[in-house]
Amino acid sequence: MNEIKTQNQIGIKGAYAYQVIDDSTGEMVIDVPEQTNLILDSYLDMGRFAPAGTYLCLGSGVVTPPSVSDTDLGNQIKVQSISMNSNSDVEDHQDYKIVKRYGSCDFTGFSGEAITELGIRKDNNNGVLVTRALIKDSEGVPTQITVNAGQTLRITYAIYFKLPKIVSSGVTPTPHGDLHWCLAADESLANWGYYLAGLKFDLETGFNQFGLFGRGLATATIAWDIPNRTVTLTAKTPAQSSVTTSQPGSPIWVPRYASIYKMIIPIGGAQYTIPANYDLTISWEITWGRLP
């Protein structure tokens, strides 16, 4: 048996923008661009890229700075379901890509309330709070916004994900020669945001099944370590007839369902043969945390 280990660091960041709109004229009374939002520990505990069933909540009169350990708003007065299923154009950097998923919702029925904080809950309008922020002005200074009767408060909420193009690469010696490997993004994917929607930390719904060296599916085991923000997935292809990789660039490992990552023989790497009666085990550790 031989084991390949690699690690993938996922980064997460939150942001929001808002406008106050005059209902009778459509005029934007206030228009503030994106401001930072704190990702709470409860978000990182979920092991998901985006919470399923999201609710945007507003608070009034509280100006306590958010902390990663927060579990609630100080004084929630409104809540509304929000769908963050829209994708922006992917930011393409040299070593990584940034994918933005966002959504908007309109709050109405105000009568002069001063809004000072907001956050995202999961599951329902009383669910776990997973993000929190104070309302800020266009300079990023905490403030309050008064929304009067006949006005709408529109909030656009976004979650950013930083995804490395190459997670890691190496050469693993085995009793049957060196295995050259590279865990890399599939640059042929037209829409990273779409594939991101199916790439969960928890690897649900068959994502824990792999095709290894064309030998068909190999079911993986999953080990969680929530306090350290890691999950380790281990897949094994059992001993059978001999198989050889075709050429550099060809896949070693491909997940059964949509994913932006695959393990390949890198350009410049050598072909590799798994002999008959030989097991191969691949162990992939995913880590996640906040982006600055």
Side-chain angles (χ1 to χ4, degrees):
M1 183 188 82
N2 186 72
E3 183 175 3
I4 300 171
K5 294 203 71 173
T6 186
Q7 187 178 76
N8 179 16
Q9 173 68 53
I10 304 295
I12 311 171
K13 181 172 70 172
Y16 68 93
Y18 64 93
Q19 296 85 35
V20 176
I21 303 168
D22 186 289
D23 295 341
S24 59
T25 65
E27 177 188 1
M28 287 191 182
V29 180
I30 301 174
D31 186 7
V32 174
E34 278 195 348
Q35 303 299 314
T36 58
N37 176 87
L38 190 61
I39 300 293
L40 304 182
D41 287 343
S42 51
Y43 190 116
L44 301 181
D45 286 344
M46 289 190 302
R48 289 177 179 267
F49 277 107
T54 48
Y55 291 79
L56 180 59
C57 45
L58 304 179
S60 177
V62 175
V63 293
T64 305
S67 167
V68 295
S69 60
D70 285 345
T71 58
D72 209 346
L73 295 183
N75 179 32
Q76 180 173 307
I77 63 169
K78 285 182 179 288
V79 62
Q80 186 169 313
S81 175
I82 182 172
S83 175
M84 290 187 289
N85 290 326
S86 298
N87 300 313
S88 69
D89 293 336
V90 175
E91 294 181 21
D92 193 349
H93 300 264
Q94 181 176 352
D95 298 324
Y96 62 92
K97 292 191 178 186
I98 299 287
V99 176
K100 174 184 177 182
R101 295 183 65 78
Y102 65 95
S104 296
C105 63
D106 291 350
F107 289 88
T108 58
F110 291 95
S111 56
E113 291 88 348
I115 307 303
T116 59
E117 59 177 343
L118 77 165
I120 290 287
R121 295 186 183 278
K122 69 168 187 171
D123 298 332
N124 56 62
N125 57 6
N126 291 310
V128 175
L129 192 72
V130 295
T131 74
R132 181 174 176 243
L134 296 180
I135 295 294
K136 300 173 185 175
D137 62 20
S138 58
E139 303 300 320
V141 178
T143 186
Q144 67 178 34
I145 47 174
T146 300
V147 189
N148 298 311
Q151 294 181 328
T152 294
L153 173 59
R154 176 172 298 160
I155 296 178
T156 301
Y157 207 93
I159 302 290
Y160 291 85
F161 305 96
K162 180 180 179 180
L163 303 168
K165 292 183 179 180
I166 296 179
V167 177
S168 56
S169 61
V171 180
T172 301
T174 81
H176 304 283
D178 291 340
L179 174 58
H180 297 243
W181 58 272
C182 177
L183 186 62
D186 189 343
E187 289 293 321
S188 67
L189 297 180
N191 189 334
W192 274 44
Y194 168 80
Y195 285 89
L196 176 62
L199 182 61
K200 300 177 181 178
F201 297 142
D202 51 9
L203 309 171
E204 290 177 341
T205 319
F207 196 78
N208 62 335
Q209 294 181 313
F210 297 79
L212 292 171
F213 282 94
R215 286 184 167 184
L217 298 179
T219 301
T221 59
I222 299 174
W224 283 92
D225 184 357
I226 291 292
N228 291 310
R229 311 300 185 205
T230 65
V231 58
T232 303
L233 186 147
T234 302
K236 178 181 178 181
T237 177
Q240 49 186 283
S241 59
S242 175
V243 62
T244 302
T245 59
S246 56
Q247 59 185 356
S250 64
I252 301 172
W253 161 88
V254 178
R256 181 179 180 186
Y257 294 110
S259 170
I260 57 172
Y261 290 115
K262 61 184 179 181
M263 186 172 284
I264 62 173
I265 302 293
I267 302 301
Q271 290 180 280
Y272 182 77
T273 297
I274 302 180
N277 304 315
Y278 184 69
D279 296 335
L280 176 68
T281 299
I282 291 178
S283 185
W284 181 16
E285 183 180 85
I286 302 173
T287 67
W288 65 93
R290 298 176 185 85
L291 283 176

